[in-house]
Amino acid sequence: MAEINETELPKPSVPELSVTLNIFLEGIRAIVPGDKYEEARRLVEDYKKSEEMQKLQGFLKEYAESHENYQVTEFWLKDNLKIPLPLPINSSLFFLLPKRLFNTDDERFRFIAKFIIFSLMFKERVDRGELKQEFDGRQEKKNALSMATYRHFFTAYRRPGAIKDEHIFSEGGRYFIVVCNNQAY
C-alpha cells in the first residue's frame, strides 16, 4: 500500500481535555485499587470544572494552531535527550519485548541474529512504503497518522552531549552496533 504524503495529512484535531481525562480514568481503572480510583475520579471531576483546565485547553489549541504537529513527539524527545541513560532500554516505546531467559550463549546469539534479520526485513518494508497506513482510532473521524516515525527509527541515532544528547538523522545507514559489557561490536 502506498504511503500517504505527509504534507497532505490534516492536522490532528485537539481533543477536549475532559475527553482525555475520561480516557485516563478508563486506563487506570484496572490497575488502581477502588478507594484510590475513587479519589482520582473525584480529583479529575474537580479539575474538569477548574479555570486552570480551561486555560490549559486554550493554550493547547493555540499551540496546535501554530505548529504542524502538537502531539507528544517534540516534548518527549526534548525531555528524553536530557536523560543520560541508554534510550532503547530505558525510555523507548518500541522496546516492549518480554524478558527472555537463555540457557546458553548459542541460544542468546540465535535470538539476536533472528531479531536483526527481522529488523532488516521490517526496514526493507518501511523503505519500500509497504506498511499499512495507520489511523487515529480514538476520534469519531479517523485521521491518517504520520508514518515518518518508522523511517526515523532506522535512520536516527542519539549523539551524547555534555548537557543533553542530540537526535541525529542520517540517510542510508548500513551498520548495526551491538553494545555488550561496555564493548561495541
Side-chain angles (χ1 to χ4, degrees), residues 76-88:
W76 177 84
L77 189 58
K78 189 168 90 175
D79 285 343
N80 275 283
L81 291 176
K82 292 178 187 173
I83 301 170
L85 300 171
L87 182 64

Side-chain angles (χ1 to χ4, degrees), residues 12 19 34-35 45 51 62 67 121 130 133-134 147 162 166 185:
V19 172
D35 59 330
E45 291 304 320
E51 186 178 321
E62 188 177 299
H67 288 76
M121 290 167 56
E130 294 177 354
Q133 180 66 46
E134 295 179 3
M147 300 295 281
E166 292 179 83
Y185 302 94

Side-chain angles (χ1 to χ4, degrees), residues 52-132:
E52 183 181 17
M53 191 188 100
Q54 300 310 315
K55 282 183 183 177
L56 185 57
Q57 182 73 28
F59 289 142
L60 184 57
K61 286 182 177 182
E62 188 177 299
Y63 183 86
E65 283 299 316
S66 62
H67 288 76
E68 195 64 33
N69 185 342
Y70 74 90
Q71 295 176 326
V72 299
T73 305
E74 179 183 334
F75 303 108
W76 177 84
L77 189 58
K78 189 168 90 175
D79 285 343
N80 275 283
L81 291 176
K82 292 178 187 173
I83 301 170
L85 300 171
L87 182 64
I89 296 168
N90 292 287
S91 47
S92 176
L93 301 176
F94 292 100
F95 247 88
L96 300 175
L97 298 174
K99 184 174 175 133
R100 296 186 56 114
L101 297 174
F102 301 101
N103 294 320
T104 66
D105 283 344
D106 282 346
E107 284 181 12
R108 184 171 4 129
F109 297 142
R110 263 193 293 280
F111 177 81
I112 292 168
K114 287 179 183 177
F115 187 84
I116 290 171
I117 289 167
F118 170 79
S119 298
L120 289 171
M121 290 167 56
F122 185 76
K123 182 181 183 318
E124 285 177 355
R125 289 187 64 210
V126 169
D127 291 346
R128 289 192 303 259
E130 294 177 354
L131 295 184
K132 184 178 174 185

Side-chain angles (χ1 to χ4, degrees), residues 1-17:
M1 176 178 209
E3 197 173 308
I4 292 174
N5 183 338
E6 298 287 322
T7 59
E8 295 173 8
L9 291 175
K11 280 187 168 187
S13 59
V14 178
E16 292 299 319
L17 283 177

Side-chain angles (χ1 to χ4, degrees), residues 21-57:
L21 291 171
N22 287 337
I23 292 169
F24 165 75
L25 287 173
E26 286 175 35
I28 67 168
R29 179 176 290 226
I31 59 172
V32 175
D35 59 330
K36 293 291 183 190
Y37 175 80
E38 280 305 312
E39 181 181 344
R41 190 191 60 72
R42 278 193 306 276
L43 288 170
V44 165
E45 291 304 320
D46 289 346
Y47 186 67
K48 282 182 186 179
K49 301 171 193 163
S50 73
E51 186 178 321
E52 183 181 17
M53 191 188 100
Q54 300 310 315
K55 282 183 183 177
L56 185 57
Q57 182 73 28

Side-chain angles (χ1 to χ4, degrees), residues 146-171:
S146 170
M147 300 295 281
T149 300
Y150 293 107
R151 287 189 310 277
H152 295 180
F153 183 67
F154 289 104
T155 60
Y157 67 95
R158 182 177 178 150
R159 180 186 297 157
I163 297 171
K164 90 173 198 182
D165 294 349
E166 292 179 83
H167 195 231
I168 307 295
F169 293 101
S170 63
E171 292 300 320

